[in-house]
Amino acid sequence: MFPCVWTFDPGRVANMRSRLKDLCSSIAELDVVPGSLTTAEAAELVGDLSRACKQLSAVLSVVAVRAAEGNEWRRDADGSPADWMSRKTGRPVGQCKEELSAAEAVEVFPELKDAFLGGALSGSQTAAVVEVAKVD
């Protein structure tokens, strides 16, 4: 689990939540009409959207690891942090386990942290790299 290195700052959390709300509004305003895109434009957008999804997923996983340290998942009567995350996100439990493991691993393998949080690697890709690194 992550060591707590931040001090409680409700203003910072409010700022993050506000920025996420703005991000969601911006996404809603994209006005995607697939038929109006060339196939090349669509392919470029798939890459851009994929990276954004991986970044959001990484941040979600890191924050979920921290939430799990507070035993929120037990208060909600979930069997594990992955079960809790699955219920909150609608993702399969196995995927949540993998993403939580990846989020924890980037603290042990800091060279992966930028790639994970930057969206270059997904949670499953990060987890696979970590498994190979553990063998070495």
Side-chain angles (χ1 to χ4, degrees):
M1 298 289 177
F2 293 118
C4 183
V5 294
W6 296 327
T7 56
F8 179 68
D9 179 357
R12 186 175 56 68
V13 173
N15 182 45
M16 285 190 291
R17 294 185 79 191
S18 175
R19 292 176 73 184
L20 284 168
K21 185 178 176 182
D22 291 345
L23 177 61
C24 289
S25 294
S26 293
I27 291 169
E29 293 170 2
L30 287 177
D31 191 31
V32 177
V33 180
S36 70
L37 303 170
T38 67
T39 55
E41 290 169 334
E44 286 180 22
L45 283 171
V46 166
D48 295 340
L49 290 165
S50 175
R51 185 174 194 102
C53 286
K54 287 189 273 186
Q55 281 185 285
L56 285 170
S57 182
V59 172
L60 171 70
S61 298
V62 168
V63 172
V65 166
R66 179 65 179 139
E69 291 172 355
N71 293 315
E72 189 73 27
W73 59 276
R74 284 192 176 109
R75 282 190 288 278
D76 288 350
D78 290 300
S80 70
D83 290 330
W84 176 80
M85 185 176 171
S86 175
R87 187 173 51 78
K88 293 285 188 179
T89 65
R91 295 177 179 173
V93 173
Q95 180 181 350
C96 291
K97 281 182 185 177
E98 197 169 62
E99 291 173 356
L100 291 169
S101 292
E104 290 175 325
V106 296
E107 292 303 313
V108 177
F109 298 97
E111 60 276 10
L112 291 176
K113 191 172 192 172
D114 288 342
F116 181 55
L117 293 173
L121 294 174
S122 68
S124 60
Q125 291 168 323
T126 302
V129 171
V130 167
E131 286 304 310
V132 170
K134 285 181 182 177
V135 171
D136 290 341

